Amino acid sequence: MARGETEPVPLPEPVPLFAVPAIRAPIEPRPNPHADASIAAAHALCAAHGTFLTAEEEQRTTVDDLLRASAWVYPRASLPRLVNLAALFAWMFLADDRDDHAARVEATAPIPAPDFLERITADMSPAWGERFIRNLKDWTASNHDVARHRQAGAVPTEAEYVPLRRLTSALVWFYDLIEYANEEELPPSFIGTPVYRSLMESITDATTFTNDLYSAHKEHARGELHNLPTVLRHHYGMTWQEAADVTAVRVHQHLQAFTDACRALPAQAALERRWARGLAECMAGNLAYFRTSHRYATQPSPHPTPAK
């Protein structure tokens, strides 16, 4: 350190607002067996495609285990596909962080470079690729909407929050990637059906509300208003703990709705049933990541770290 310079003062850790209620995943999470092997290759892929805009972002990728998140969410992916998924997830997390700290709506990060996405779309049908890119673009557009709300300083109502949260979560295109990870595409006739929508909406709401519980502390510390406990506290006069407990009840209600939707799948619909299991793996894997990543480490949790 040069003469006259002072050591920077670290920012205080976010103060826990509540004890995170117990959340039961629909199945036991299990990490992909290729998790460790995928890290170095995914890091190199990110570096080659300009994913890291600063040294701090590259460091955060390691500290927060961003390259390991996809191993929890896609436990059945092969090593080559897991590398692509890990790199895409790292880009998503970093883009999301940039949006959270952006001063202007126009600062929202664009989707990755076409050659990066072609590593994924080249292995799938044109119809799947169109659906995936469309959902990816919808996610980036939803971040513009959140940025506008943030600038206005408005707490959305629950009715406003839930459909927007489904988009901002990125889970819609996470679910497309289940097909990529498991190397089998859903039949076009199933896409958009009532049971398809019911499966997606119920597991999405369960997952996003769980994420809200684990991220509420740091989001509140930076003034973020798009979080279900914040919405419930603001509009219904709840305490933080009451809002967290109600959020947990909502999570388990949506998980029950997901289970009911799974039962509505015909017995002969084997491919659709495997995809639905992938949705359950996605939720369980996200929960395991919330519990174990430094990204959410300031949140108290009564649960032990899932066995690896």
Side-chain angles (χ1 to χ4, degrees):
M1 181 177 296
R3 182 176 299 177
E5 291 184 356
T6 58
E7 189 73 28
V9 178
L11 294 174
E13 288 291 326
V15 176
L17 304 171
F18 51 77
V20 176
I23 300 295
R24 299 185 305 275
I27 59 174
E28 187 67 22
R30 59 185 181 91
N32 190 298
H34 304 300
D36 291 337
S38 69
I39 299 298
H43 187 279
L45 182 59
C46 285
H49 286 273
T51 300
F52 310 126
L53 299 186
T54 65
E56 187 274 335
E57 285 192 348
E58 185 168 7
Q59 181 183 27
R60 179 153 30 102
T61 299
T62 300
V63 171
D64 288 358
D65 247 356
L66 302 187
L67 293 170
R68 194 178 296 274
S70 62
W72 281 112
V73 175
Y74 304 110
R76 290 180 281 167
S78 65
L79 177 56
R81 295 200 176 198
L82 184 61
V83 169
N84 291 334
L85 291 165
L88 184 60
F89 266 44
W91 166 83
M92 181 270 299
F93 279 122
L94 294 174
D96 189 54
D97 288 347
R98 291 172 201 146
D99 285 339
D100 287 341
H101 295 90
R104 297 177 296 107
V105 172
E106 292 79 5
T108 301
I111 63 173
D115 57 337
F116 183 96
L117 292 178
E118 284 172 6
R119 295 176 61 92
I120 292 174
T121 58
D123 290 324
M124 308 297 284
S125 71
W128 182 93
E130 291 174 4
R131 169 162 47 97
F132 171 61
I133 297 299
R134 181 174 63 251
N135 289 334
L136 195 59
K137 289 181 176 179
D138 286 345
W139 173 68
T140 61
S142 71
N143 289 331
H144 282 272
D145 294 336
V146 170
R148 293 188 186 95
H149 274 279
R150 187 182 295 127
Q151 287 183 326
V155 179
T157 65
E158 189 174 359
E160 293 170 333
Y161 176 74
V162 173
L164 182 58
R165 186 69 173 96
R166 289 171 183 164
L167 289 175
T168 61
S169 70
L171 287 170
V172 175
W173 54 268
F174 277 27
Y175 304 151
D176 293 332
L177 291 169
I178 292 172
E179 300 167 73
Y180 172 76
N182 297 344
E183 303 185 30
E184 54 181 10
E185 294 187 27
L186 288 169
S189 59
F190 179 64
I191 305 297
T193 61
V195 68
Y196 173 86
R197 291 196 302 271
S198 180
L199 286 165
M200 287 186 58
E201 290 180 0
S202 57
I203 202 67
T204 296
D205 290 346
T207 306
T208 56
F209 296 167
T210 300
N211 177 266
D212 286 354
L213 288 169
Y214 279 86
S215 62
H217 312 275
K218 67 175 184 178
E219 291 182 350
H220 178 71
R222 65 171 183 253
E224 176 58 64
L225 304 175
H226 284 71
N227 183 286
L228 186 57
T230 299
V231 169
L232 295 175
R233 180 174 177 267
H234 178 84
H235 289 289
Y236 302 116
M238 299 179 183
T239 65
W240 280 114
Q241 191 62 56
E242 288 170 343
D245 292 342
V246 170
T247 298
V249 170
R250 302 275 174 84
V251 169
H252 292 119
Q253 288 172 338
H254 288 299
L255 286 176
Q256 183 58 55
F258 173 74
T259 299
D260 294 343
C262 287
R263 293 185 180 129
L265 287 168
Q268 65 271 24
L271 195 159
E272 291 87 342
R273 286 181 171 275
R274 288 194 296 273
W275 178 75
R277 179 174 177 81
L279 295 176
E281 290 171 341
C282 184
M283 191 280 170
N286 271 290
L287 177 56
Y289 182 68
F290 301 156
R291 291 174 178 170
T292 58
S293 170
H294 178 73
R295 188 176 180 85
Y296 304 96
T298 58
Q299 281 67 63
S301 174
H303 311 289
T305 299
K308 293 186 178 181

